[in-house]
């Protein structure tokens, strides 16, 4: 199991900027960490101190890595949040700067206590490791999308 599993996505140069911030912090934190670069067109892997870096993972390997992580760090995109909900996992979510929909989703979900939100310029993984978040309820049975939409509608009415 990995202490921190980071999954990158999003447009450049923001994807690379987050990668650099993550690497700078993860190499100084105890444990073994995984950084998935979100580059499916390439298939490289390397070790950087205590951080295993891979360009891409298939769905099964990514799911297993996320399930075993002490902390997940990811963007706050809709699909990512749905994937985390399906796994019953919480995360430190980092909205992509300049993406209003991600910033909005991050604010909305932070209010539920399910996700910890930090902005890219103020990322502090060490502080996030010490925080507890309410686990997301896995939606393994029943219509997951319908439940997620009901939860989102309830949040919007507040």
């Amino acid at each position: 199991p990995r202490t921190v599993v980071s999954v990158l996505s999003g447009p450049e140069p923001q994807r690379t900027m987050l990668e650099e911030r993550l690497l700078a912090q993860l190499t100084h934190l105890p444990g073994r960490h995984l950084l998935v670069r979100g580059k499916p067109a390439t298939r490289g892997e390397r070790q950087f101190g205590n951080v295993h870096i891979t360009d891409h993972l298939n769905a099964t390997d990514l799911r297993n890595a996320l399930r075993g992580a002490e902390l997940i760090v990811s963007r706050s995109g809709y699909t990512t949040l749905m994937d985390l909900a399906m796994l019953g996992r919480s995360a430190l979510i980092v909205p992509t700067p300049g993406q209003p929909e991600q910033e909005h989703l991050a604010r909305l979900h932070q209010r539920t206590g399910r996700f910890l939100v930090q902005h890219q310029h103020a990322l502090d993984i060490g502080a996030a490791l010490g925080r507890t978040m309410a686990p997301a309820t896995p939606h393994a049975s029943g219509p997951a999308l319908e439940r997620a939409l009901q939860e989102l509608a309830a949040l919007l009415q507040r």
Side-chain angles (χ1 to χ4, degrees):
R2 304 287 179 162
T3 304
V4 177
V5 173
S6 302
V7 182
L8 298 175
S9 62
E12 293 295 353
Q14 297 300 333
R15 194 210 61 77
T16 296
M17 292 168 72
L18 181 57
E19 179 178 347
E20 290 168 355
R21 285 187 174 277
L22 286 165
L23 276 175
Q25 292 184 35
L26 290 172
T27 56
H28 293 46
L29 291 173
R32 294 181 19 212
H33 311 295
L34 173 64
L35 186 134
V36 182
R37 297 182 70 222
K39 294 187 160 235
T42 58
R43 298 286 179 185
E45 287 191 29
R46 65 186 168 105
Q47 192 71 29
F48 188 77
N50 59 338
V51 182
H52 182 79
I53 303 167
T54 184
D55 288 340
H56 182 73
L57 287 178
N58 66 44
T60 301
D61 290 341
L62 181 59
R63 183 173 48 250
N64 291 337
L66 294 174
R67 283 186 175 146
E70 182 178 332
L71 176 69
I72 298 167
V73 180
S74 70
R75 292 295 191 187
S76 57
Y78 179 77
T79 303
T80 300
L81 297 176
M82 291 297 295
D83 289 344
L84 290 168
M86 289 295 293
L87 289 173
R89 293 300 314 264
S90 185
L92 165 59
I93 54 176
V94 182
T96 303
Q99 299 275 325
E101 69 284 357
Q102 284 197 18
E103 292 166 354
H104 177 72
L105 285 170
R107 281 190 305 274
L108 251 152
H109 286 286
Q110 184 175 29
R111 286 190 291 193
T112 68
R114 250 188 251 152
F115 295 102
L116 177 61
V117 177
Q118 291 182 359
H119 294 280
Q120 188 167 292
H121 68 276
L123 186 66
D124 186 343
I125 299 169
L129 277 167
R131 302 271 311 263
T132 57
M133 296 164 278
T137 304
H139 297 293
S141 62
L145 179 58
E146 183 61 32
R147 286 185 187 156
L149 290 172
Q150 287 172 356
E151 287 180 12
L152 185 58
L155 285 170
L156 292 171
Q157 290 175 355
R158 289 184 188 173

